[in-house]
Amino acid sequence: MGILIFAETYKGEFKKDSYELASYAYEIASEKGSSVTAICFNAVNPESLSNYGVNKIINCSNEELKDFDVTIYSDCISETFALENSNILILSSSSNSKYLGGVLAIKLNAGYATNVISKPSFSNGLSLRRNTFTNKAFENVNILTENSIIGLSKNSFGLKEKNVKSEIEDKKFDIGSAANKVTSIEKMSSKVTIADADIVVSGGRGLKGPENWNLIEDLAEVLGAATACSKPVSDLGWRPHSEHVGQTGKPVSSNLYIAIGISGAIQHLAGVNSSKTKVVINTDPDAPFFKAADYGIVGDAFDVVPKLIQKLKDFKSTNN
Amino acid sequence: MKILVCISHVPDTTSKINFTENNSKFDKNGVQFIINPNDEFGLTRAIWFKEKNNASVDVINVGLQETEPTLRKALAIGADKAIRINIEPTDSSVVAKSISDYISDNNYDLIIAGRESIDYNGGMVPGMISALTKINFIDKCIDLNISENSVLASREIDGGMENISTSLPLIIGGQKGLVEENDLKIPNMRGIMMARKKELLVLDPGDYTDTLKTDNFEKPEPKGEVTLVSPDEVEKLIELLNNEAKAI
Ligand SMILES: Cc1cc2nc3c(=O)[nH]c(=O)nc-3n(C[C@H](O)[C@H](O)[C@H](O)COP(=O)(O)OP(=O)(O)OC[C@H]3O[C@@H](n4cnc5c(N)ncnc54)[C@H](O)[C@@H]3O)c2cc1C
Ligand SMILES: Nc1ncnc2c1ncn2[C@@H]1O[C@H](COP(=O)(O)O)[C@@H](O)[C@H]1O
């Protein structure tokens, strides 16, 4: 059995997800007595994967591979999968990895399970547990094909350091021309993104208007968190669409989700429920979010949040 | 321009999710079904192309007869023709192969699917179709403009967006942003009347083998009680988050 992971980078550095994939793959490999290979593109520190159990690191370093392209990247990954005699490919749940997943499933003739939250069990083929119905249920699913693709849900396994000896191969691919030409990229400032964040601070209609969003932003800043919002807030144009989280917006599976002035409608909760710890701040003790949260404050955001920001600053200054 | 919109028929977002037959199947009893929200944005954009660029708009669903009201709704919103491939959609690759076969026989310029269905959350059908038909693919598409000689699209990436120039034929995985929420169309009486007369073609599926099999479904354990902290003691919340939840 051979396991290949696609270790994504941002500006050459591995994303945290990549180390999580490596940790996950290492554990499967050690149970099965096999080894882990990683493929990455233009990584500046490929060797760092050896701290998480990767035995072989294939760093594709053509200049043309700097920008993500679904066709070219999926060609490189499927070629490597075949060359390395792999039969399990592990992807993260980032936008780019999800973009690649369906394409690779066809190219590799592989059954593909997304939103996976467990290690595979091999007692009856390859079975996995995954989130489905937008976190309202779990599905135990069996992959019936010889090759498998596992799309691992973020934060479902965590990081486990494991130092191993590894071999690094610098590889050049023959690359065709991209059909889609990226003309420009608009990145939102230097802020933490919802997809990568460990902590997400989210505001709802209870904040009354966009002029009050400094509360959300200041709290996010002390925590190093990303900012998000409920659907009506983005529909009203108070915040950009890209911050809308929930069943029909972005999924959130952070370590900590703080909901301020959000009632906790079923569509909102569905999308954020897989976060580990949830906190709600709301004036209404009957708001449904209190049933879903781990910690709550019944109170006015305009009173509680400034105090929370101040106390967190004190906490951070004594604990750093 | 010929457009095909892939329509997934999903439980309404407020539905309670239950299972039947030893937890091996979704319990459809009493559940209201809707056009998958991501597909609704795509369908509305397609109708916009119909009005502005004189495009034709077909909608396709892989599903049993029970999905016909959802297809009729798409026709009432303004699609010209509906196609249903008559098989229960239990495996994304079978759905993608069925739709790809139809595309190969019918030459579309633009295929609009959703980024993911809100029921099984596979998020894989559009990518699979693109690999099967070798058509250009843009996932998480949040803007799409087509003129005589150019196709400009935007795609959401983690923490921003990417502007892309590409060409037809094209397939997108669409989502909110393709059109504004306020532009979503509700079928009116005239649309509903006209939809009854529009063609709804039912086709037999090809012969494909499943790549995945559901063993069973489970519902999450009910959640424990929330721990309340007084608004006058926010430092207590910080302590709990630090020591108990280890989240900060
Ligand atoms: C098809 C469909 C899809 C949907 N998808 C999503 C989705 O993906 N994501 C999503 O979020 N929603 C979604 N919704 C909308 C959802 O049903 C709710 O309407 C929405 O989540 C409510 O947003 P909210 O909590 O910000 O606003 P409200 O429901 O208006 O709640 C505001 C809350 O703020 C509290 N509040 C008021 N003042 C204060 C104060 N001073 N301090 C503290 N708290 C205060 C109130 O007690 C209240 O609980 C969807 C709806 C539909 C029909
Ligand atoms: N049974 C189906 N019939 C038609 N289109 C579908 C079907 N299932 C999924 N799709 C399309 O593929 C998109 C992604 O679905 P999924 O891969 O199932 O998350 C949906 O938004 C639809 O556009």
Side-chain angles (χ1 to χ4, degrees):
Chain A
M1 191 183 73
I3 302 177
L4 180 69
I5 66 170
F6 167 42
E8 250 184 281
T9 49
Y10 177 63
K11 294 194 169 144
E13 306 272 351
F14 288 112
K15 296 171 75 167
K16 186 180 147 203
D17 291 356
S18 300
Y19 298 128
E20 187 176 19
L21 291 192
S23 309
Y24 176 81
Y26 174 80
E27 211 152 300
I28 303 170
S30 52
E31 273 170 31
K32 300 294 282 183
S34 86
S35 65
V36 182
T37 303
I39 177 168
C40 50
F41 295 89
N42 295 308
V44 293
N45 55 344
E47 67 288 350
S48 69
L49 286 174
S50 65
N51 300 332
Y52 292 91
V54 179
N55 309 93
K56 181 171 180 187
I57 300 147
I58 300 173
N59 192 17
C60 312
S61 54
N62 305 39
E63 179 60 23
E64 309 91 295
L65 287 167
K66 242 181 63 220
D67 291 322
F68 176 85
D69 179 83
V70 69
T71 311
I72 296 175
Y73 272 45
S74 60
D75 281 345
C76 296
I77 295 171
S78 57
E79 197 177 314
T80 305
F81 187 88
L83 278 174
E84 298 296 318
N85 290 317
S86 318
N87 39 30
I88 299 181
L89 171 67
I90 304 176
L91 301 173
S92 79
S93 48
S94 74
S95 286
N96 286 352
S97 289
K98 284 200 160 170
Y99 194 174
L100 286 165
V103 174
L104 282 165
I106 297 298
K107 288 191 177 170
L108 303 177
N109 227 327
Y112 172 31
T114 51
N115 307 325
V116 169
I117 53 168
S118 76
K119 279 192 295 176
S121 131
F122 295 95
S123 53
N124 172 20
L126 192 165
S127 23
L128 295 154
R129 190 175 170 81
R130 61 183 294 270
N131 275 323
T132 187
F133 291 95
T134 329
N135 301 320
K136 290 176 192 165
F138 304 112
E139 179 188 15
N140 294 311
V141 70
N142 225 299
I143 296 187
L144 306 173
T145 46
E146 215 173 290
N147 292 337
S148 313
I149 305 180
I150 301 175
L152 186 66
S153 183
K154 183 185 151 65
N155 274 334
S156 58
F157 190 76
L159 302 186
K160 293 195 184 149
E161 283 199 42
K162 179 73 205 176
N163 274 300
V164 296
K165 260 180 93 113
S166 60
E167 159 199 353
I168 300 179
E169 182 183 327
D170 216 15
K171 180 139 188 174
K172 298 250 185 283
F173 276 95
D174 275 334
I175 292 162
S177 68
N180 296 334
K181 301 252 179 317
V182 176
T183 53
S184 61
I185 293 180
E186 298 167 34
K187 274 269 179 188
M188 276 175 318
S189 53
S190 55
K191 273 180 28 184
V192 192
T193 68
I194 295 174
D196 295 329
D198 281 331
I199 305 180
V200 174
V201 178
S202 190
R205 206 148 50 177
L207 285 159
K208 315 280 192 272
E211 66 281 5
N212 298 323
W213 238 261
N214 59 318
L215 285 178
I216 302 292
E217 281 173 344
D218 292 351
L219 180 57
E221 189 174 323
V222 221
L223 289 168
T227 54
C229 68
S230 67
K231 178 167 177 285
V233 164
S234 72
D235 290 343
L236 288 162
W238 297 358
R239 300 296 291 178
H241 286 318
S242 56
E243 284 199 1
H244 157 203
V245 298
Q247 187 168 11
T248 57
K250 274 203 178 66
V252 180
S253 64
S254 53
N255 263 325
L256 175 60
Y257 182 75
I258 304 181
I260 302 170
I262 296 178
S263 57
I266 187 166
Q267 298 98 344
H268 185 86
L269 292 177
V272 304
N273 244 340
S274 66
S275 294
K276 289 239 161 60
T277 302
K278 292 175 283 286
V279 175
V280 55
I281 300 172
N282 195 308
T283 40
D284 175 8
D286 294 326
F289 212 117
F290 284 101
K291 292 218 166 63
D294 302 283
Y295 303 102
I297 296 182
V298 179
D300 187 335
F302 297 95
D303 162 48
V304 174
V305 178
K307 285 197 284 193
L308 188 58
I309 293 170
Q310 191 51 51
K311 295 282 181 196
L312 271 168
K313 281 186 181 155
D314 298 347
F315 168 81
K316 293 268 170 182
S317 63
T318 49
N319 284 272
N320 277 339
Chain B
M1 182 165 64
K2 269 181 79 180
I3 305 177
L4 181 69
V5 184
C6 305
I7 303 277
S8 165
H9 158 95
V10 301
D12 179 88
T13 56
T14 54
S15 307
K16 294 263 179 291
I17 304 299
N18 289 304
F19 301 100
T20 154
E21 296 182 32
N22 272 330
N23 288 324
S24 67
K25 273 202 155 139
F26 174 62
D27 185 357
K28 296 174 186 167
N29 230 318
V31 171
Q32 177 87 28
F33 280 84
I34 57 169
I35 299 177
N36 183 39
N38 290 319
D39 303 343
E40 202 181 346
F41 288 107
L43 175 63
T44 308
R45 191 65 186 162
I47 305 294
W48 189 91
F49 285 125
K50 176 176 163 168
E51 285 161 4
K52 291 277 186 311
N53 304 21
N54 219 356
S56 70
V57 178
D58 294 350
V59 289
I60 189 166
N61 170 264
V62 179
L64 301 178
Q65 195 176 5
E66 64 200 7
T67 73
E68 289 190 3
T70 301
L71 284 172
R72 288 278 174 214
K73 182 173 174 204
L75 293 171
I77 289 173
D80 300 301
K81 172 179 155 186
I83 300 105
R84 180 171 69 79
I85 299 179
N86 190 24
I87 180 175
E88 180 129 40
T90 51
D91 187 300
S92 299
S93 77
V94 173
V95 170
K97 285 170 186 162
S98 309
I99 297 176
S100 299
D101 279 353
Y102 186 78
I103 294 168
S104 305
D105 293 340
N106 290 277
N107 291 321
Y108 287 91
D109 303 294
L110 174 64
I111 297 120
I112 299 181
R115 170 198 82 193
E116 76 170 18
S117 333
I118 61 162
D119 51 358
Y120 296 94
N121 308 109
M124 47 181 112
V125 167
M128 287 176 165
I129 297 177
S130 86
L132 288 161
T133 56
K134 306 212 160 40
I135 291 177
N136 287 343
F137 171 39
I138 296 178
D139 198 23
K140 289 201 169 179
C141 186
I142 49 173
D143 195 16
L144 180 64
N145 287 291
I146 300 175
S147 68
E148 198 79 27
N149 37 30
S150 81
V151 179
L152 298 177
S154 303
R155 138 175 120 90
E156 186 178 289
I157 54 177
D158 295 338
M161 70 178 205
E162 203 173 73
N163 298 315
I164 296 163
S165 129
T166 182
S167 56
L168 300 179
L170 175 71
I171 173 162
I172 65 162
Q175 63 181 47
K176 185 176 167 186
L178 272 180
V179 296
E180 290 302 317
E181 184 84 16
N182 293 336
D183 296 328
L184 289 178
K185 290 193 190 319
I186 298 159
N188 57 24
M189 210 49 208
R190 186 161 165 270
I192 294 169
M193 297 301 286
M194 279 169 56
R196 289 195 191 145
K197 301 204 190 82
K198 289 180 181 170
E199 183 182 6
L200 195 162
L201 183 69
V202 180
L203 299 175
D204 288 328
D207 187 13
Y208 302 113
T209 37
D210 285 357
T211 57
L212 301 177
K213 182 181 157 293
T214 302
D215 284 338
N216 62 343
F217 293 99
E218 283 171 54
K219 297 222 286 184
E221 296 284 319
K223 178 127 193 90
E225 281 279 303
V226 59
T227 305
L228 288 180
V229 173
S230 149
D232 300 319
E233 295 178 308
V234 295
E235 58 281 2
K236 215 165 147 205
L237 177 65
I238 296 172
E239 190 209 304
L240 288 166
L241 290 178
N242 181 39
N243 295 329
E244 191 176 86
K246 309 217 180 309
I248 55 171

